[in-house]
Amino acid sequence: MKANSVSEALEIMKTVRFPIVTRTNGGGGGAGIRKWDTKSELENYLHSREELEKQTLFFQEYIQGIDASATVVCSKEKTAILSLNKQLIGDKLLGAPGDFAYCGNIVPLEWDMHLPAKQKEFFVDLMTKIKSLFLQLKLTGINGVDFVIQGTKSYFMEVNPRFLGSLECTQIATKQNLVKIHLDAFHDTLSVKEPPRYYRIGVKGILFSNVEKPFPVKKYPTSKWIVDRTHVGVILERGDPFCSIVLPTISATNGLEKVHTLAKRIQRLNAPRV
């Protein structure tokens, strides 16, 4: 459901069950998404605003579970899943600017979970549904879909018809040349083996500034895992992306700990003087 005005939003509120999530049609990476536990919280927020700032407000059911995504490649007639990915959402150790901010990935998702027999059947069924979805959409090249896993159920959230933030981790985990796979798909060539075969784990964390006052980037520790660096001297404000940390590992837990440790070093080196 969506509303283009405060009055429309107030009417929709009468028909939904809380908690809910609202999101705007602007921004990405979790920007503009808010969770409302009670009707009165959202009602007070809406009454404090005269208009929705020329944005559409979308209402979604709040589903608590494992935040995940799939990296998919499509040709004209075929679809293959390259990886299933765990999403890092709202990671405060990475300075997440909001509870729903996208902060990175762990690939593959399956290696980060204990999978009994029924759960393995669930993943087979999930991949079948994902492939069916993309065959209907008739997209070409590498695309993605976000979903939430709750028990043995999956809830699709949104399709991302573009190159994905998880691609570095997919390439680390599968040792495949994703650029070549993407280009080959446009020539109707899909030489991808299924189910996906993983050789190791790829972990990516996006570090955000969590400092209240603007400050210039000073320096980075010596590490080949720090990429997408904001240049030294650039002024960062709270919530601005600082850099990404991407590394291979054999343990999802240890890999994420390494990302958090490196993020803490970067924050310490660049902390403004009081």
Side-chain angles (χ1 to χ4, degrees):
M1 292 180 285
K2 63 180 181 179
N4 293 307
S5 66
V6 171
S7 59
E8 287 183 5
L10 290 170
E11 284 300 313
I12 290 174
M13 280 177 50
K14 299 176 183 179
T15 65
V16 298
R17 184 170 60 182
F18 287 78
I20 64 167
V21 169
T22 60
R23 61 192 305 162
T24 61
N25 59 338
I33 301 178
R34 296 183 65 173
K35 175 174 172 271
W36 307 93
D37 291 310
T38 65
K39 179 180 177 181
S40 59
E41 281 182 346
L42 179 54
E43 194 170 36
N44 290 337
Y45 169 77
L46 291 171
H47 280 307
S48 70
R49 305 170 69 87
E50 294 182 359
E51 57 179 329
L52 295 179
E53 298 177 355
K54 299 180 181 180
Q55 290 185 325
T56 300
L57 192 66
F58 293 89
F59 291 75
Q60 292 182 319
E61 179 184 358
Y62 174 67
I63 300 171
Q64 190 169 12
I66 298 170
D67 297 298
S69 66
T71 304
V72 183
V73 61
C74 312
S75 65
K76 290 181 180 179
E77 302 294 336
K78 297 180 181 179
T79 297
I81 294 175
L82 297 171
S83 66
L84 297 179
N85 323 308
K86 181 177 181 179
Q87 292 187 325
L88 302 180
I89 303 295
D91 190 327
K92 296 305 180 185
L93 294 179
L94 293 172
D99 292 337
F100 295 92
Y102 168 72
C103 298
N105 291 92
I106 297 174
V107 180
L109 167 68
E110 300 97 312
W111 282 17
D112 195 48
M113 301 175 66
H114 299 289
L115 301 180
K118 287 187 177 180
Q119 196 79 350
K120 291 179 182 178
E121 294 173 7
F122 159 76
F123 272 98
V124 172
D125 180 61
L126 172 63
M127 288 191 281
T128 300
K129 290 177 180 177
I130 292 171
K131 291 176 68 173
S132 175
L133 170 66
F134 279 94
L135 284 172
Q136 293 178 58
L137 292 174
K138 297 186 182 301
L139 297 173
T140 306
I142 291 180
N143 304 277
V145 59
D146 296 340
F147 54 92
V148 173
I149 297 174
Q150 187 183 72
T152 56
K153 294 183 178 180
S154 58
Y155 299 86
F156 288 8
M157 295 296 169
E158 65 180 22
V159 172
N160 298 303
R162 53 173 170 77
F163 252 38
L164 311 167
S166 58
L167 288 188
E168 300 104 320
C169 292
T170 298
Q171 189 150 299
I172 287 171
T174 64
K175 294 185 178 181
Q176 296 188 88
N177 185 334
L178 299 187
V179 173
K180 183 179 185 303
I181 289 173
H182 178 71
L183 295 175
D184 285 348
F186 285 89
H187 296 282
D188 210 22
T189 301
L190 212 61
S191 55
V192 178
K193 294 182 179 180
E194 289 190 289
R197 184 175 181 181
Y198 304 114
Y199 298 89
R200 51 188 175 175
I201 297 172
V203 181
K204 174 181 180 178
I206 302 172
L207 178 61
F208 297 87
S209 167
N210 61 354
V211 179
E212 289 292 343
K213 295 182 179 180
F215 67 94
V217 177
K218 299 175 185 176
K219 56 183 175 180
Y220 294 91
T222 302
S223 173
K224 63 181 179 180
W225 310 126
I226 303 173
V227 298
D228 302 331
R229 305 182 184 204
T230 298
H231 291 298
V232 172
V234 172
I235 303 296
L236 288 183
E237 297 187 4
R238 184 178 179 86
D240 285 345
F242 209 129
C243 63
S244 295
I245 302 166
V246 183
L247 53 84
T249 181
I250 57 173
S251 164
T253 301
N254 290 343
L256 188 55
E257 286 178 356
K258 289 179 181 178
V259 167
H260 285 155
T261 299
L262 195 49
K264 191 173 182 179
R265 287 179 61 195
I266 296 169
Q267 290 169 328
R268 190 184 303 121
L269 284 172
N270 290 275
R273 294 182 179 179
V274 179

